[in-house]
């Protein structure tokens, strides 16, 4: 697979991933007290962090989008 995630996209995904992990495990918001939202947010947060780290988004590959210059 080729790199298809650019720098700004990586930063936004990393911030979103960290925010979702924070909301899932550290915040005391009532919405995230249930298992569905807690583990759903954690799963999406981990996926966002993985995509930001690897710079490869499978969904972008399927659609044909590239946000990087390379």
């Amino acid at each position: 697979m080729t790199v298809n995630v650019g720098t700004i996209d990586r930063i936004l995904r990393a911030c979103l991933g960290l925010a979702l992990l924070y909301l899932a495990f550290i915040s005391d918001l009532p919405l995230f007290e249930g298992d569905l939202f807690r583990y759903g947010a954690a799963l999406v947060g981990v996926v966002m962090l993985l995509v930001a780290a690897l710079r490869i988004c499978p969904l972008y590959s399927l659609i044909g989008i590239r946000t990087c210059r390379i």
Side-chain angles (χ1 to χ4, degrees):
M1 298 187 96
T2 60
V3 173
N4 60 3
V5 177
T7 304
I8 295 173
D9 198 0
R10 286 178 73 192
I11 292 169
L12 292 175
R13 286 175 187 266
C15 291
L16 179 62
L18 290 173
L20 286 172
L21 288 174
Y22 169 79
L23 288 172
F25 295 118
I26 298 174
S27 74
D28 291 331
L29 292 176
L31 178 65
F32 294 98
E33 287 179 2
D35 288 339
L36 178 66
F37 283 105
R38 175 178 290 156
Y39 295 119
L43 179 66
V44 172
V46 168
V47 169
M48 289 291 167
L49 287 175
L50 281 173
V51 170
L54 299 176
R55 298 184 66 190
I56 298 170
C57 179
L59 185 60
Y60 277 8
S61 296
L62 289 174
I63 299 172
I65 297 174
R66 291 183 63 190
T67 59
C68 63
R69 294 182 183 183
I70 297 174

